Amino acid sequence: YVPEHFLERPHYQHSTLFTHVKVTPDEMERISIILAKEINALDGPNAVIVPMGGFSHHDRPGGAIEDPRLRDICADTLDAHLEHTSLIRLDAHLFDPSVTEAITTALADLSS
């Protein structure tokens, strides 16, 4: 069940269990601050990779919730609030093979 006021926003049904609803800029900033706080509390090596070409299947050109501004807000907010974590911005969509390559490279760098 998705409350009616959320269905007034751009959205799409991912499956019978999940409907993705586009967040507002304020919500993206708040979510990113919460995420940064959680990452700051980690005690092991870590990195954050932000795929600036899109975060989901429909966050891409022509997608139902596509919005480059929200990705910028996320990356800028994380960058401003992360204390000891490197932020890697990739000019690629989440599903692009270069994102997987960046993740495996970051993991290898963190483990060496």
Side-chain angles (χ1 to χ4, degrees):
Y1 169 75
V2 180
E4 190 66 33
H5 68 278
F6 285 120
L7 295 177
E8 294 171 3
R9 299 182 189 186
H11 64 280
Y12 69 96
Q13 186 171 356
H14 177 77
S15 70
T16 56
L17 298 175
F18 297 102
T19 297
H20 292 225
V21 177
K22 184 175 178 179
V23 298
T24 66
D26 181 58
E27 289 167 341
M28 180 60 84
E29 182 177 18
R30 287 186 288 152
I31 292 164
S32 300
I33 289 170
I34 291 167
L35 179 58
K37 287 180 182 179
E38 293 295 322
I39 293 167
N40 290 337
L42 298 173
D43 59 5
N46 60 78
V48 173
I49 298 172
V50 181
M52 299 304 291
F55 295 170
S56 74
H57 178 69
H58 280 278
D59 181 22
R60 64 172 62 229
I65 60 170
E66 195 264 344
D67 193 334
R69 181 172 162 239
L70 291 174
R71 297 189 295 268
D72 287 335
I73 291 168
C74 176
D76 292 346
T77 303
L78 286 170
D79 200 30
H81 289 86
L82 290 172
E83 296 172 357
H84 306 289
T85 299
S86 61
L87 178 78
I88 302 164
R89 295 177 198 230
L90 293 181
D91 187 24
H93 187 270
L94 177 65
F95 299 145
D96 189 283
S98 65
V99 175
T100 304
E101 291 170 21
I103 292 168
T104 57
T105 299
L107 285 170
D109 291 347
L110 291 170
S111 63
S112 60

